[in-house]
Amino acid sequence: MATPVLRSFLFAPGNHARRVEKALTLGADAVILDLEDAVATAEKAATRKLAVEALARPRTGKAYIRVNAIGTEWCLGDLMEIVKPGLDGIVLPKVESAADLRTIDWLIANLERERGLPTGGIDLMPIIETAAGFSRLDRIFGARSLKDYGGPWRVKRMAFGAADFTNDVGMTWSPGEEELTSLRVNLIVASRAAGIEPPIDTVWVRMQDVAGLKTSVERSKHLGFQGRMCIHPDQVKVVNETFTPSTEEETRARKIVEAFKAAEAAGQAAIQVEGSMVDYPVFHRAERVLATLAAIRAKGG
Ligand code: GLV
Ligand code: MG
């Protein structure tokens, strides 16, 4: 599997032409044109066409569209209209079962076939953001529902939606986000156990609190997330920078890889680098840091 480098997913309401146009060219690794919670009920149907039109605009990253949840009256109509050339992925909110994913995958596969698009070409990124979704993580992403699935599995990674989750369970979303740590770890572990990419962490809603954003994004990286969803263009730079290995991380990773390779060639697998023990897992972790950096550089930063 190629090293995944989707650091930033920037939301733009699908019916807000100026914000959509801007979002597409701001250096986000992906833009999510929203048909769900950023769009008023009365506007939902009309927004589909605008989102599809935006897929043809110049852009610097991938283009995803967030449809309405499977249990709503809009989901089917959303999918019927948006599976079109230029669409890289679909974000599916409030996923609560393996059947949700199978059903939507089946529909997308049929639309791809009918419309002459490559089968399995469109990603499907579920957002886990309800108590029901969290309590069934293993069953949604577990071996039987995912690894034994016959076709090309389009679910490459999942995302966390803290706004809906905290609302669903009546939790207070505090500035320090301590209450979210165990949920975040659950997503990291479930993703790894399912053999999919690391997940994408939730949006940061305190727009004025830039220091808080930075701390929160550093924690996401520390826990093992691949990236963050963003709700404001200014958040993209912080997120991209934080998820790009720093010069210090690069230097240290290079030292570890070089020293370990030399030691291994001499028949040793446990050495010290700058006072810390390095063995196979530490070596592989350092290799991953370098692979992430190489993948980011290969796509132009
Ligand atoms: C995103 O959809 C969220 O609910 O946080
Ligand atoms: Mg949500």
Side-chain angles (χ1 to χ4, degrees), residues 202-213:
T202 185
V203 296
W204 175 257
V205 288
R206 295 168 198 274
M207 315 276 242
Q208 309 304 322
D209 184 1
V210 181
L213 168 69

Side-chain angles (χ1 to χ4, degrees), residues 97-288:
S97 72
D100 288 354
L101 287 184
R102 289 281 188 95
T103 305
I104 300 298
D105 171 67
W106 175 86
L107 183 56
I108 299 172
N110 278 280
L111 292 172
E112 283 172 336
R113 200 165 23 240
E114 205 177 273
R115 296 173 184 184
L117 299 168
T119 311
I122 296 174
D123 275 11
L124 178 60
M125 183 164 85
I127 309 186
I128 302 298
E129 52 183 346
T130 62
F134 267 99
S135 64
R136 295 190 199 120
L137 272 179
D138 277 356
R139 273 178 284 161
I140 301 174
F141 298 100
R144 271 174 60 75
S145 65
L146 207 150
K147 287 196 186 119
D148 299 346
Y149 186 81
W153 185 246
R154 67 181 79 245
V155 178
K156 310 258 181 350
R157 71 201 79 79
M158 62 180 97
F160 177 31
D164 268 297
F165 181 78
T166 50
N167 175 45
D168 190 37
V169 300
M171 187 182 268
T172 300
W173 187 356
S174 69
E177 301 187 315
E178 293 80 6
E179 61 284 345
L180 300 184
T181 300
S182 64
L183 299 150
R184 286 175 154 139
V185 171
N186 283 347
L187 295 186
I188 294 286
V189 174
S191 297
R192 181 66 195 132
I196 58 176
E197 294 175 7
I200 307 299
D201 206 357
T202 185
V203 296
W204 175 257
V205 288
R206 295 168 198 274
M207 315 276 242
Q208 309 304 322
D209 184 1
V210 181
L213 168 69
K214 177 84 182 144
T215 306
S216 175
V217 179
E218 276 166 358
R219 186 185 307 115
S220 310
K221 179 183 170 185
H222 184 81
L223 289 174
F225 281 91
Q226 173 176 182
R228 287 287 291 238
M229 296 192 287
C230 305
I231 45 169
H232 191 279
D234 294 347
Q235 297 179 339
V236 172
K237 194 163 175 280
V238 177
V239 168
N240 282 355
E241 276 175 12
T242 308
F243 277 100
T244 303
S246 65
T247 312
E248 295 78 57
E249 282 173 286
E250 180 185 4
T251 308
R252 185 165 161 71
R254 287 201 191 287
K255 265 190 203 153
I256 289 173
V257 168
E258 266 171 40
F260 189 84
K261 280 187 175 163
E264 199 190 21
Q268 280 186 55
I271 57 169
Q272 267 198 38
V273 175
E274 292 173 345
S276 289
M277 194 269 291
V278 172
D279 59 0
Y280 277 106
V282 181
F283 164 64
H284 292 313
R285 181 91 184 83
E287 280 190 316
R288 270 225 310 282

Side-chain angles (χ1 to χ4, degrees), residues 44-61:
K44 281 192 190 288
T47 302
R48 296 167 181 152
K49 189 165 168 283
L50 304 174
V52 169
E53 281 166 8
L55 298 176
R57 298 230 178 92
R59 57 174 138 108
T60 51

